[in-house]
Amino acid sequence: MIVDKVLSQSELFAGLPPEAVRVFAGACQLRRYPKGAVLFQKGDPGDALYVLISGKVRIYRESLAGKLKTLAYFHPPEVFGEMSLVEDRPRSATAFAEEPTELLVLFRDYYLQIIRRFPLLAHNIARIIAARLREMNDEVLFLTFEEARSKVAFALLKLHRHRHGEPREEGWFVPIVHQEIANLAGTSRETATRVVHELRDRRIVESVPGGLLLRDLEALETVLYGI
Ligand code: CMP
């Protein structure tokens, strides 16, 4: 079954027996959302964790002035919504379906039952949270201290690291517009466009229909570190 196959690839089940996947799947609800649906908004009560089975989800926050900051894109079999589940507090950010999306939803009562039986699952969730905090520390450093060029390079490399997009013969294709690059990099759209043009002139990226082609990831790394 496709759900079990996707689940077994999730970091949630690292080191756990196949039985844990079956028990988990049996305790979840399957939900489908159309493209453009808001799964939940920042501040909503949150008592469930999600595992992405198909589709793509964007997590973002909005500033008081209405500017968006994209925090993450999630792809199968990634997990999100774990913060409210673990903390018993409202959602820390908004989740938006970028594509038609299928999700497994695990409510807190079932979560508490499952971790009694498979305690390693709780440790795996702690690992997921730690990895996100580690990545966020890097991001804070780049967004705080570095130039726009490094911020854009960081955003593009993060998308590649999270497998956002697809491999093509000439590089990695990222489906993205300049405004969204700005939302990720914490710059204005004009600045994001200026940097993309500069990277394009250096043949590090290429503008293609529907997005950007990352042609030279090594060169993008050197841009990241201001070399
Ligand atoms: P929760 O607060 O329940 O709802 C929003 C979810 O977005 C949150 O759980 C995490 O799963 C996810 N999230 C929030 N901030 C980040 C971040 N900085 N990086 C990756 N994922 C995040």
Side-chain angles (χ1 to χ4, degrees):
M1 191 181 162
I2 178 99
V3 166
D4 285 17
K5 190 164 173 238
V6 175
L7 274 184
S8 61
Q9 291 160 0
S10 161
E11 297 161 273
L12 275 180
F13 299 101
L16 281 165
E19 190 199 352
V21 172
R22 281 197 300 277
V23 171
F24 185 95
C28 286
Q29 287 179 14
L30 183 66
R31 286 199 189 155
R32 294 191 175 86
Y33 293 88
K35 178 178 172 159
V38 173
L39 279 49
F40 54 74
Q41 281 187 312
K42 179 185 180 301
D44 285 353
D47 58 352
L49 164 151
Y50 295 78
V51 187
L52 203 48
I53 301 299
S54 68
K56 188 172 19 173
V57 168
R58 177 163 55 99
I59 301 287
Y60 66 89
R61 287 279 302 264
E62 197 170 347
S63 75
L64 292 177
K67 290 188 180 165
L68 298 188
K69 171 73 180 85
T70 297
L71 297 171
Y73 281 96
F74 289 126
H75 309 89
E78 285 182 298
V79 175
F80 62 95
E82 76 295 337
M83 286 168 62
S84 297
L85 182 86
V86 169
E87 275 191 304
D88 204 358
R89 288 181 59 191
R91 296 294 181 197
S92 64
T94 300
F96 177 88
E98 288 279 311
E99 291 175 0
T101 288
E102 279 184 317
L103 297 150
L104 283 184
V105 188
L106 181 75
F107 286 94
R108 184 178 290 115
D109 289 350
Y110 288 110
Y111 166 73
L112 294 174
Q113 284 175 28
I114 290 180
I115 58 171
R116 259 181 241 122
R117 188 154 163 203
F118 301 105
L120 191 55
L121 195 101
H123 179 67
N124 287 344
I125 290 183
R127 286 175 60 146
I128 291 170
I129 295 172
R132 285 187 190 151
L133 182 58
R134 187 180 288 271
E135 184 168 59
M136 199 40 58
N137 285 347
D138 284 345
E139 189 158 336
V140 166
L141 205 72
F142 280 102
L143 299 197
T144 308
F145 296 121
E146 299 303 330
E147 292 178 4
R149 207 179 284 122
S150 294
K151 294 179 184 179
V152 169
F154 184 89
L156 296 175
L157 286 165
K158 180 175 172 182
L159 290 170
H160 172 256
R161 200 168 48 249
H162 286 274
R163 295 288 176 259
H164 184 72
E166 63 194 30
R168 293 211 179 148
E169 215 168 282
E170 324 76 40
W172 183 267
F173 170 72
V174 185
I176 201 158
V177 295
H178 291 182
Q179 179 61 61
E180 183 51 13
I181 296 174
N183 294 348
L184 278 159
T187 67
S188 67
R189 205 220 7 100
E190 291 74 14
T191 301
T193 297
R194 176 176 58 71
V195 173
V196 168
H197 287 173
E198 187 196 315
L199 296 175
R200 196 187 57 193
D201 293 346
R202 293 169 64 183
R203 301 185 57 76
I204 296 173
V205 305
E206 188 182 328
S207 298
V208 291
L212 271 189
L213 201 58
L214 311 184
R215 293 174 60 105
D216 189 341
L217 292 164
E218 269 179 39
L220 207 50
E221 289 272 353
T222 62
V223 172
L224 173 66
Y225 293 107
I227 301 169

